[in-house]
Amino acid sequence: MKKIKLSVIFSLILLFMVTTGNAADNTQITYNVSFPEAQAHYADIEMKITGLKQDELELKMPVWTPGSYLVREFARNIEGLSASANGKSLSAKKIRKNIWQLHIAGIGTVVIKYRVYAFEISVRTSFIDASHAFLSSPDMFLYPGNMLHSASTIHIKPYKAWDKVSTSLEKVNGDVFTRYSPNYDILFDSPIEIGNQEIFNFDAYGVHYEVCMQGGGNYDKERLKKDLAKVVAEEVAIYGENPNKHYTFIIHNALKGGGGLEHLSSTTLGASRDAYTTERGYQNFLSLAAHEHFHLWNVKRLRPIALGPFDYDNENYTTNLWIAEGFTAYYQDIIVRRTQLYSPENYLGMLAEDINLLENSEGAKVQTLAESSYDAWIKAYRPNENSGNSTISYYTKGSIVALLLDLEIINDSKGQYSLDDVMRYMYNEYYKTKQRGYTDAEFKAGLEKFAGKNLDDFYAKYINGLTPVDYAYYLGLAGYKLTNELADNNDPALGITTIPNIPRLIVATVTRGSAAWKDGINVNDEIIAIDGEPALEAGKLLSGKKVGDKIKVTIARDGILMDIPVTLLKSTKVKYKVDELPNPTAQQLVVRKKWLTLK
């Protein structure tokens, strides 16, 4: 008998495990999705499960959508759930907000029927009307408990003249209306657009891209093909590979659209249908596309350890959304800059806007970047009138922290390394080699590897602390500085904003530490008059007033008129721009060239 190599034995054992594992799981799951009342925003779903062998079956609906960190209670949109077996009705008892229980001892096949109401316009929720259906899978498809690994087939019966489906799910036998998912993590990460959308395609680095345009628009598809391919090329260059065979952009064009949500092999974007022909509108669209496409590496594969495997019943907490989203927000603009589709000056202008957002936020003095990430579930997606005083965006500050680290790494390595090298190293080390997410300490170690130094002080200041950002130092590394265009401004300010687009001046926010804050003007107060003069326009409330003036603000609060004495304070608003330092050094020019991809 010949000796068998150890590697061969291992391969045989693995084959046996895979074969027997598949044999043990003979469950088949199919969904039939139809839209008999699309005009009323309903989908009818029939779910059929065969090969069942257990005594009880739990049907679950996710409570949140990966990438959007808020419990949204999708089960609230389900109506008329019923179950049957062999033509006879089965009891389906709701035992939790998102779980139904069925007793199925001796029953191998179960049919479940239910309706879903879908009328919330966003990139993360389903929307159905007579013109199209957008199915965000986590709020549409029930799944069997403890069977997230199971495959499923989705049959779509389109409404009336709908003739197209756009999704990253594979076709079955070439049928555009029949799609296959190998498991529920894939299904819940694969939105489905159904209707009469315009579809065009392009190829980039061996990957086939489908662009689905729903809602019309003044876009130039040939220009988009060319420019999106450039964005893809710059992002692939960072990681060295594109892990997809095909990728789908689902774009919803509306009168006023925005936002995006990343998926493993697709994304959904919101855009303004008439903004493609303006320079700013087109740049914003490319940045949004670059952001969501960059996520196919950063967060969908290179991820914080808490974000996978997903718990679809509960919050999945991490302090690292500043990496997952903030770093991606940094790359969205620097990537488009690298394509040369807009100038260094345009990029620096957008950078200044981000800095202004952070520096004009009182929340930057209250909430750390790590806290902002962790509290996304209870704060980021539930803003209120005081959010600007108590929170920051992990997108905005995270992107600024990415900038600081990028400049530091480029400078300390004399242009040999950049943040790109950190991202590529972490992708290879954790997604490809270890095949798991990273911990806080592991990502910090990856940064330190290329920074060439300990980053304890940096983390203490900017991640876990509230130290103001030292822009002079970090921008100075590339020969730039910040200039505050309002530095000599001595205008007074109440420190309020009012609700836009209504004729009455209703207070929407009150800034911490402002005159209104200190002297007691409240959100929802209606500003009636200033020193007896009727208040007609928000921009002219303090016309002729000076810092230190004591004024009488007449308000209506809950229908009661009252006068509030207010002492006017100087406006603390900043408006920065990024300027070049005179006579930059050779080292500063090395950093600048590497950072801004200057020719």
Side-chain angles (χ1 to χ4, degrees), residues 13-41:
I13 292 172
L14 182 62
L15 178 62
F16 174 77
M17 290 170 63
V18 171
T19 305
T20 56
N22 288 341
D25 183 11
N26 294 318
T27 306
Q28 294 185 346
I29 303 170
T30 59
Y31 297 91
N32 290 302
V33 184
S34 60
F35 307 92
E37 292 187 298
Q39 83 289 346
H41 322 300

Side-chain angles (χ1 to χ4, degrees), residues 253-285:
N253 294 303
L255 179 63
K256 292 183 179 180
L261 188 64
E262 71 274 6
H263 300 285
L264 197 67
S265 302
S266 64
T267 184
T268 306
L269 310 178
S272 297
R273 65 169 65 95
D274 295 325
Y276 290 94
T277 54
T278 68
E279 182 181 17
R280 184 60 184 269
Y282 190 66
Q283 288 177 358
N284 286 345
F285 175 79

Side-chain angles (χ1 to χ4, degrees), residues 527-583:
I527 308 294
I528 303 296
I530 303 289
D531 286 340
E533 292 294 323
L536 302 176
E537 295 182 46
K540 297 182 179 180
L541 285 178
L542 302 182
S543 180
K545 307 297 182 183
K546 301 187 298 296
V547 173
D549 284 354
K550 298 181 186 301
I551 64 173
K552 180 180 69 175
V553 181
T554 304
I555 66 164
R557 181 178 295 168
D558 193 30
I560 300 173
L561 287 176
M562 61 181 71
D563 293 328
I564 297 180
V566 175
T567 301
L568 292 177
L569 302 177
K570 181 181 182 296
S571 171
T572 59
K573 186 177 180 181
V574 297
K575 185 181 179 182
Y576 289 117
K577 63 175 182 174
V578 180
D579 288 325
E580 290 189 40
L581 288 171
N583 304 314

Side-chain angles (χ1 to χ4, degrees), residues 375-386:
D375 284 343
W377 294 92
I378 59 173
K379 294 185 178 183
Y381 288 90
R382 289 194 177 107
N384 62 24
E385 67 282 351
N386 197 48

Side-chain angles (χ1 to χ4, degrees), residues 121 123 131-132 193 197-198 200 211-219 224 249-258 268-276 285 288:
I121 298 176
V123 296
S131 67
H132 77 115
E193 175 69 28
Q197 63 270 21
E198 181 177 20
F200 56 89
V211 182
C212 150
M213 286 289 194
Q214 194 283 324
N218 60 4
Y219 53 87
L224 279 175
F249 285 100
I250 298 174
I251 302 166
H252 292 153
N253 294 303
L255 179 63
K256 292 183 179 180
T268 306
L269 310 178
S272 297
R273 65 169 65 95
D274 295 325
Y276 290 94
F285 175 79
L288 176 62

Side-chain angles (χ1 to χ4, degrees), residues 51-202:
L52 293 166
K53 296 180 180 179
Q54 64 263 44
D55 292 338
E56 291 185 348
L57 173 67
E58 286 188 350
L59 299 173
K60 291 186 171 187
M61 176 67 82
V63 304
W64 68 289
T65 296
S68 180
Y69 306 103
L70 176 68
V71 171
R72 296 181 185 273
E73 313 293 18
F74 295 133
R76 64 192 170 91
N77 292 319
I78 289 182
E79 297 178 17
L81 188 144
S82 65
S84 62
N86 302 317
K88 296 181 179 180
S89 178
L90 288 176
S91 173
K93 181 182 179 181
K94 197 170 189 178
I95 59 173
R96 278 187 60 182
K97 63 182 181 181
N98 66 318
I99 303 176
W100 290 258
Q101 186 180 68
L102 285 70
H103 298 288
I104 58 167
I107 296 174
T109 299
V110 173
V111 176
I112 302 100
K113 295 182 180 180
Y114 60 98
R115 310 189 82 201
V116 180
Y117 180 73
F119 195 56
E120 183 177 349
I121 298 176
S122 81
V123 296
R124 66 190 69 86
T125 50
S126 295
F127 178 88
I128 300 168
D129 68 7
S131 67
H132 77 115
F134 172 66
L135 308 185
S136 176
S137 300
D139 67 8
M140 295 299 298
F141 297 108
L142 291 168
Y143 71 95
N146 300 319
M147 294 172 64
L148 284 169
H149 62 284
S150 296
S152 59
T153 302
I154 299 94
H155 302 282
I156 298 167
K157 182 180 180 181
Y159 178 73
K160 292 188 175 180
W162 294 352
D163 61 1
K164 297 183 180 71
V165 174
S166 296
T167 181
S168 58
L169 294 173
E170 299 288 350
K171 298 175 186 175
V172 177
N173 296 325
D175 182 1
V176 70
F177 292 109
T178 303
R179 302 292 175 141
Y180 172 81
S181 175
N183 58 60
Y184 278 96
D185 285 325
I186 297 293
L187 178 59
F188 293 153
D189 215 9
S190 304
I192 306 170
E193 175 69 28
I194 311 157
N196 303 108
Q197 63 270 21
E198 181 177 20
I199 295 173
F200 56 89
N201 305 277
F202 67 92

Side-chain angles (χ1 to χ4, degrees), residues 364-376:
K365 303 170 186 175
V366 177
Q367 188 183 50
T368 71
L369 192 50
E371 289 170 343
S372 175
S373 297
Y374 198 83
D375 284 343

